[in-house]
Amino acid sequence: MAAVRKVILSLAVLFIGVVAQAGTYAAIDYPGAIATYVYGMNNRGEIVGQYTDTGGQSHGFLLSNQIFTSIDVPGGTLAAAVGINDSGLVVGYFSSSAGIQGFLWDQQSFTTLMPPGATFAMANGINNSGEIVGFYRVSGLTRHGFRFSNGQYKTLAPPHVQDAVLAGINDNGDVAGFYTDIFGLNRGFRLHNDRFDHINYPGALDTAAWGMNDHGAIVGQFRTQDGNTNSFAVRKDRYISVTFPGGMNTILLDINDSGFMVGYYYDSYSIPHGFLRTP
């Protein structure tokens, strides 16, 4: 299977804009895919994610200048592209006989990302300095957040937390993520200047913070008391709910410095589609 495959398609065909909630929403579907998930976006408007082909196989993808590039790590059986910086460096994860591993792709070659002793790893975000965040497991289901910088892995989590995910990192070195509390509920957080601040959508049962930009805006998802999943954006403690018009569930995962947001939603047939929200 080729590691990279390109598909060119007009944006007029790809995107159908819907004006709602003080923004314009556009659905994103990889051509011919039966499912599309959008995970990340940079300041140049390049988008990364994952799609499922008609054979049920999952692949990563990059959407840049109206060109879709399918991403598969050589020797892997599935892939997902999760984060991208302004230089076009892409991080994500893939599956192989060795298990789930993180990767860095410079659009020419792949580098495996695996903290020492890990048996499972996912890379979620990368900033313009090349710092990478994600999580790994050593054994069992406990997740450990990691930060990879200058060739070194560092495990990070809020104090007294056993299970944590680092999901996004901006150019200031601030990190967004979430951890699981003793009740099995997600609690969002931001790490800024070695200080962990809680991110919890008002009145929500639980909250997960995923992406953040250089202005301190954070996006993620929250679950209400009735079990429904919704998405939010927050800056300076001002929260707004974000929902794709007509979508059943909206999962918001990243925001760039211009306020463009990306994620995915499920339609009435429970089929996932990526989306872009323009301010």
Side-chain angles (χ1 to χ4, degrees), residues 2-3 16-17 21 43 59 89 97 185 188 191 210 254-255 275:
I16 301 174
Q21 293 182 310
N43 291 319
H59 314 262
L89 297 177
S97 58
L185 300 175
L191 172 61
W210 281 101
D254 204 5
I255 180 171
F275 75 85

Side-chain angles (χ1 to χ4, degrees), residues 223-237:
R223 190 159 52 104
T224 55
Q225 299 293 332
D226 57 11
N228 289 325
T229 299
N230 301 277
S231 287
F232 72 89
V234 59
R235 183 169 183 263
K236 294 183 178 180
D237 295 325

Side-chain angles (χ1 to χ4, degrees), residues 100 114 117-122 135-144 162-165:
I100 302 292
M114 204 71 170
T119 58
F120 176 109
M122 289 186 175
F135 74 94
Y136 69 96
R137 294 181 179 130
V138 175
S139 62
L141 298 177
T142 300
R143 299 168 296 186
H144 307 277
Q162 300 299 315
D163 184 280
V165 171

Side-chain angles (χ1 to χ4, degrees), residues 193-248:
N193 290 336
D194 296 323
R195 170 183 166 181
F196 287 93
D197 297 314
H198 286 93
I199 303 294
N200 289 308
Y201 189 88
L205 179 65
D206 66 9
T207 305
W210 281 101
M212 70 185 310
N213 65 18
D214 290 345
H215 305 301
I218 294 174
V219 298
Q221 63 191 94
F222 66 94
R223 190 159 52 104
T224 55
Q225 299 293 332
D226 57 11
N228 289 325
T229 299
N230 301 277
S231 287
F232 72 89
V234 59
R235 183 169 183 263
K236 294 183 178 180
D237 295 325
R238 180 176 177 267
Y239 288 82
I240 62 169
S241 178
V242 177
T243 302
F244 188 92
M248 303 301 292

Side-chain angles (χ1 to χ4, degrees), residues 21 112 169 216 245 268 272:
Q21 293 182 310
T112 299
I169 184 169
S268 58

Side-chain angles (χ1 to χ4, degrees), residues 7-265:
V7 179
I8 304 175
L9 203 62
S10 167
L11 282 179
V13 177
L14 295 176
F15 297 160
I16 301 174
V18 180
V19 179
Q21 293 182 310
T24 300
Y25 291 76
I28 301 173
D29 289 296
Y30 190 94
I34 62 173
T36 303
Y37 308 86
V38 169
Y39 297 143
M41 183 182 191
N42 65 15
N43 291 319
R44 291 165 38 181
E46 296 173 311
I47 290 170
V48 292
Q50 183 182 39
Y51 73 95
T52 305
D53 64 26
T54 54
Q57 181 73 24
S58 294
H59 314 262
F61 74 82
L62 165 67
L63 174 57
S64 176
N65 295 322
Q66 304 184 34
I67 299 174
F68 277 103
T69 299
S70 182
I71 302 170
D72 291 293
V73 179
T77 55
L78 67 83
V82 184
I84 182 170
N85 70 9
D86 294 342
S87 298
L89 297 177
V90 176
V91 294
Y93 63 89
F94 71 101
S95 176
S96 72
S97 58
I100 302 292
Q101 303 171 79
F103 73 78
L104 168 66
W105 180 51
D106 64 5
Q107 304 203 24
Q108 293 186 351
S109 59
F110 292 88
T111 301
T112 299
L113 299 171
M114 204 71 170
T119 58
F120 176 109
M122 289 186 175
N124 294 325
I126 181 170
N127 66 14
N128 287 329
S129 297
E131 294 179 294
I132 297 168
V133 293
F135 74 94
Y136 69 96
R137 294 181 179 130
V138 175
S139 62
L141 298 177
T142 300
R143 299 168 296 186
H144 307 277
F146 76 81
R147 184 174 189 159
F148 181 71
S149 179
N150 296 319
Q152 300 293 319
Y153 291 93
K154 181 179 181 180
T155 299
L156 287 175
H160 314 299
V161 167
Q162 300 299 315
D163 184 280
V165 171
L166 302 189
I169 184 169
N170 66 18
D171 290 338
N172 303 314
D174 300 331
V175 175
F178 58 95
Y179 67 91
T180 303
D181 66 16
I182 60 174
F183 302 105
L185 300 175
N186 290 327
R187 304 298 179 195
F189 65 79
R190 177 186 65 175
L191 172 61
H192 173 69
N193 290 336
D194 296 323
R195 170 183 166 181
F196 287 93
D197 297 314
H198 286 93
I199 303 294
N200 289 308
Y201 189 88
L205 179 65
D206 66 9
T207 305
W210 281 101
M212 70 185 310
N213 65 18
D214 290 345
H215 305 301
I218 294 174
V219 298
Q221 63 191 94
F222 66 94
R223 190 159 52 104
T224 55
Q225 299 293 332
D226 57 11
N228 289 325
T229 299
N230 301 277
S231 287
F232 72 89
V234 59
R235 183 169 183 263
K236 294 183 178 180
D237 295 325
R238 180 176 177 267
Y239 288 82
I240 62 169
S241 178
V242 177
T243 302
F244 188 92
M248 303 301 292
N249 281 310
T250 300
I251 311 298
L252 185 59
L253 295 174
D254 204 5
I255 180 171
N256 71 9
D257 290 347
S258 298
F260 290 80
M261 305 179 194
V262 292
Y264 62 93
Y265 71 96

